[in-house]
Amino acid sequence: CANDIAVIVLKDQRGRYVGTKTGWYGIGYDGFGFTSSGETHITQLGYPGGIDYGTQMLRNDSLGQISAGDSFNTVIGSQMNGGSSGGPWINNFGLAGYANGVSTPFDAQSNIVVGVSSWGYTDGITDIMGASQFNAGNIIALLNNACALYPAACAP
């Protein structure tokens, strides 16, 4: 599960892409937002089928950790399940904090996606989900290819 990542370009509507109307999140890769010990705060968004029948977007906040035992995926504690797959894992959701005395690295950019819900345990006991880490070899390569094919979709 080292590269369970995709990029989709939606068809433009009257010369505009969906992000120009709805907004967008940034992309963090190669350890963005993680401490040197491989930890970060993750806000997970998704529509889990086992909660409210998947009819409402739910939010989960958790400590994210890089797990050597899980192909170096990022893992979080979460009760989300099927239906939440592909939902973003966000650093600094909303407004970013203001660093006033933290001794660990602090990335002040807000709303930065560092993974997407990929897998989770289905034993009904273990509430852990995982996401492939974003890096230059997967997410950035996909974004560069998409932007080469659809440059207007990537224009600021």
Side-chain angles (χ1 to χ4, degrees):
C1 211
N3 292 302
D4 188 12
I5 296 168
V7 171
I8 299 171
V9 178
L10 301 175
K11 184 178 179 196
D12 69 311
Q13 297 292 314
R14 293 181 290 265
R16 293 178 53 190
Y17 286 89
V18 69
T20 59
K21 184 164 178 101
T22 62
W24 49 85
Y25 296 125
I27 299 290
Y29 63 98
D30 289 341
F32 175 92
F34 286 80
T35 66
S36 60
S37 60
E39 296 179 338
T40 192
H41 176 267
I42 299 281
T43 298
Q44 174 193 27
L45 302 177
Y47 292 85
I51 305 173
D52 295 327
Y53 301 100
T55 60
Q56 296 186 57
M57 182 173 62
L58 297 180
R59 170 183 174 169
N60 173 53
D61 289 282
S62 180
L63 172 68
Q65 298 178 307
I66 297 172
S67 173
D70 292 305
S71 299
F72 294 97
N73 282 190
T74 303
V75 295
I76 62 171
S78 177
Q79 289 187 323
M80 289 198 195
N81 59 3
S84 61
S85 294
W89 289 20
I90 305 169
N91 271 137
N92 299 330
F93 185 59
L95 297 175
Y98 177 74
N100 60 331
V102 294
S103 58
T104 58
F106 181 79
D107 291 304
Q109 292 173 284
S110 61
N111 299 316
I112 303 296
V113 178
V114 296
V116 296
S117 295
S118 174
W119 58 269
Y121 288 89
T122 58
D123 61 10
I125 299 168
T126 311
D127 292 332
I128 293 176
M129 292 191 79
S132 303
Q133 288 186 56
F134 284 178
N135 60 56
N138 56 32
I139 191 68
I140 298 304
L142 291 174
L143 285 171
N144 287 341
N145 287 336
C147 290
L149 292 170
Y150 305 98
C154 300

